[in-house]
Amino acid sequence: MGFLIGASVFFTFIVAPLLFSHFNHRLAGEITNIIFPYYFGIGWILGIVIYTIIAILSTKNKEILRKLKYFVIGISIYIISSMALHKAILPIGQTLNSQYYQLLDEKKEPEAEQIKEKFKTIHSISSAINLFNIILLLFLFYNLYTTKKEEL
């Protein structure tokens, strides 16, 4: 959980802003197109690992699922939203971004601006879901931390 929170904060609030403040938008976008699929992919894969660990522990102690009910629901939501970012929203954004720069290269500025507006919408959705995921991870970490070890 700590790794997921740290990685989320690091990529969202440090890596992406640094890239866009030190490189032109096209290069920064190309770099983030390399990094963010791994970031989103690692998120849902580690979510499944955490979910699996809880499932394994619950075979020995059935009370774990009852005591971690909200945590299990939250990690399930996190997994689904991370998968959506990785497998649906990110590819749409990458396609739109690629189309935008292709149209700019072809000197078709009006068409490029239309694509840019669509990209902004997808990026806003992606950013909102990513921020939601970070807040959810903080909630889950707090929930897990405050659940006494003796109770599990």
Side-chain angles (χ1 to χ4, degrees), residues 72-114:
V72 171
I73 291 168
I75 201 72
S76 299
I77 293 168
Y78 174 77
I79 291 167
I80 292 166
S81 61
S82 293
M83 280 182 170
L85 284 169
H86 184 227
K87 297 295 185 181
I89 297 169
L90 183 68
I92 292 169
Q94 289 172 325
T95 300
L96 289 171
N97 201 36
S98 176
Q99 289 173 353
Y100 169 72
Y101 285 112
Q102 182 179 354
L103 288 169
L104 281 183
D105 291 342
E106 296 171 358
K107 308 289 187 221
K108 297 179 180 177
E109 285 82 12
E111 294 93 340
E113 285 306 312
Q114 289 176 344

Side-chain angles (χ1 to χ4, degrees), residues 90-151:
L90 183 68
I92 292 169
Q94 289 172 325
T95 300
L96 289 171
N97 201 36
S98 176
Q99 289 173 353
Y100 169 72
Y101 285 112
Q102 182 179 354
L103 288 169
L104 281 183
D105 291 342
E106 296 171 358
K107 308 289 187 221
K108 297 179 180 177
E109 285 82 12
E111 294 93 340
E113 285 306 312
Q114 289 176 344
I115 297 294
K116 185 176 185 178
E117 289 305 313
K118 290 178 184 178
F119 174 79
K120 284 181 181 180
T121 301
I122 291 295
H123 185 265
S124 295
I125 292 167
S126 173
S127 297
I129 293 172
N130 189 49
L131 184 59
F132 168 80
N133 277 353
I134 292 170
I135 293 167
L136 180 60
L137 285 173
L138 289 168
F139 166 77
L140 292 174
F141 185 78
Y142 176 79
N143 180 272
L144 194 59
Y145 181 75
T146 57
T147 304
K148 295 179 183 173
K149 203 171 193 175
E150 302 88 41
E151 292 180 16

Side-chain angles (χ1 to χ4, degrees), residues 28-39:
E30 289 174 9
I31 294 170
T32 57
N33 278 337
I34 294 169
I35 295 171
F36 272 72
Y38 291 106
Y39 161 51

Side-chain angles (χ1 to χ4, degrees), residues 27-65:
L27 179 58
E30 289 174 9
I31 294 170
T32 57
N33 278 337
I34 294 169
I35 295 171
F36 272 72
Y38 291 106
Y39 161 51
F40 293 143
I42 288 170
W44 66 265
I45 290 168
L46 287 179
I48 289 173
V49 168
I50 293 168
Y51 193 87
T52 303
I53 290 169
I54 292 170
I56 291 169
L57 291 174
S58 71
T59 61
K60 295 178 183 177
N61 181 356
K62 301 293 182 199
E63 285 295 305
I64 286 177
L65 284 179

